[in-house]
Every structure is written in structure tokens, then in C-alpha cells.
Amino acid sequence: MKEIDFRTDILPLKDQLFRLALRITLNREDAEDVVQETMLRIWKEHSKGRDPDNISAYAMTMCRNISIDIVRRKGRGNISYDPLTHDRTDGSMQADERLVFDESYDSIRQFMERLPEKQRTVLHLRDSEGRSYKEISEIMSVSESDVKITLFRVRQKLKEICERIIK
């Protein structure tokens, strides 16, 4: 086991943990709470002498589990999260372009919100975070083949949505 340091090993993971928590909870305040709780738990485990070999995978797994717990505890269904709100208000698009963009974006956003947590998380970890199949399988406690299959299926569904939008 490797000795971990909060400033060099845990703190740099903050943004990745936040993005994952936000993708699962779909709520900025909850995501911030999840990150804080994750970092506290990791540090408590460190103080007990339990440092994992792969701190990043350990932190992401813990973050995912805490996020899922919060969503379950609040009994929240899928709610809207719109990361492009600020982009949609700039004046660089013509009215017809904005309408097409808004309709396309809304279709994709609705699709993403309806995905089961597992598919949303795999897609986020792979495409947004750039994690390897092995890392994702460690974080989610599933096999690499399960990660590949899940990712393939969600990308196929997304491709179908995009093709319908284009037509």
C-alpha cells in the first residue's frame, strides 16, 4: 500500500468527483455534499491506516455509492440538469439556428436523464472523464465486458436519437 497525502493525492480528484456526483444526483448542492463526504471518508480511512493502492478508483467508487445513496434517500426521480443554459443565451445564433439547437439539445438531454444510473455513469466516466474500461469496471464493481456492453448499448441508443433529430 502507498502512503497517501491529502494535498497531492485526494484534493486533485475534487473536480472529477464533482462531475461524477453531479451526473448521478443531477443537483449541484447534493454533488458538493457528496464530494465533501467522499473526501472525509477517504481521510478517515487513511487515519485508520487503510490506504488503497488505487486512490482514484477508490474515490470514484465511494463517490458513486454516496451519490446513489443520496438519490435513493431523497426518493428523487429524474430531474432536469441543464449545463448549457449559459451557452443558450448568447446572441451568436440566429433565431432559426437557436430553435434547432434547443430542440436537438432538449431531445438529447431528455434521453440522458431517462437513462438508468448505471448507463449514465458508464457514459460519463468513459466519454467525459476519459477513464479506461478497467478503471470503470473497478469503480463500478462490474466486469470490463459489462462496461463495454453497457457503453455500446447506450451509444447505440444515443445514435438512434441523433439520427431521428437529423431527419
Side-chain angles (χ1 to χ4, degrees):
M1 281 204 232
K2 173 188 160 213
E3 177 71 23
I4 62 171
D5 178 63
F6 187 83
R7 191 171 288 164
T8 59
D9 295 322
I10 299 172
L11 200 55
L13 299 173
K14 169 178 64 103
D15 292 337
Q16 293 174 13
L17 295 172
F18 178 76
R19 287 189 300 268
L20 177 62
L22 186 60
R23 184 70 61 192
I24 295 170
T25 64
L26 301 173
N27 180 287
R28 182 169 290 283
E29 291 80 22
D30 287 344
E32 290 169 353
D33 291 345
V34 167
V35 171
Q36 183 176 358
E37 181 66 23
T38 301
M39 294 177 123
L40 284 172
R41 287 187 187 181
I42 291 170
W43 198 245
K44 284 179 185 176
E45 289 297 310
H46 168 71
S47 66
K48 295 177 184 175
R50 300 181 198 148
D51 293 337
D53 292 329
N54 186 343
I55 188 69
S56 176
Y58 181 73
M60 295 294 270
T61 301
M62 188 177 293
C63 178
R64 176 180 177 264
N65 293 338
I66 294 170
S67 297
I68 292 170
D69 289 345
I70 284 180
V71 169
R72 285 182 183 152
R73 186 173 46 234
K74 291 192 174 190
R76 187 182 309 133
N78 288 333
I79 57 173
S80 177
Y81 169 65
D82 189 357
L84 295 179
T85 300
H86 66 281
D87 293 340
R88 299 165 100 189
T89 58
D90 77 5
S92 64
M93 281 192 210
Q94 298 297 324
D96 59 338
E97 292 174 324
R98 180 166 304 193
L99 182 62
V100 170
F101 172 81
D102 286 348
E103 288 175 357
S104 301
Y105 176 76
D106 287 341
S107 295
I108 293 171
R109 180 184 48 77
Q110 288 171 5
F111 165 75
M112 295 295 286
E113 289 175 358
R114 289 186 192 123
L115 286 174
E117 177 275 327
K118 179 181 177 182
Q119 291 179 342
R120 245 190 354 244
T121 303
V122 167
L123 188 65
H124 172 76
L125 289 172
R126 182 67 181 170
D127 293 340
S128 297
E129 298 292 331
R131 298 288 181 146
S132 69
Y133 294 120
K134 183 177 182 182
E135 288 175 312
I136 296 169
S137 71
E138 289 174 4
I139 291 167
M140 298 186 67
S141 301
V142 297
S143 68
E144 281 187 58
S145 61
D146 191 19
V147 170
K148 291 176 184 178
I149 290 168
T150 301
L151 191 59
F152 174 79
R153 287 180 180 160
V154 74
R155 285 179 175 166
Q156 285 299 110
K157 288 179 188 175
L158 186 57
K159 180 181 172 186
E160 291 170 13
I161 296 288
C162 291
E163 287 173 350
R164 275 189 258 146
I165 290 171
I166 292 172
K167 289 180 182 180

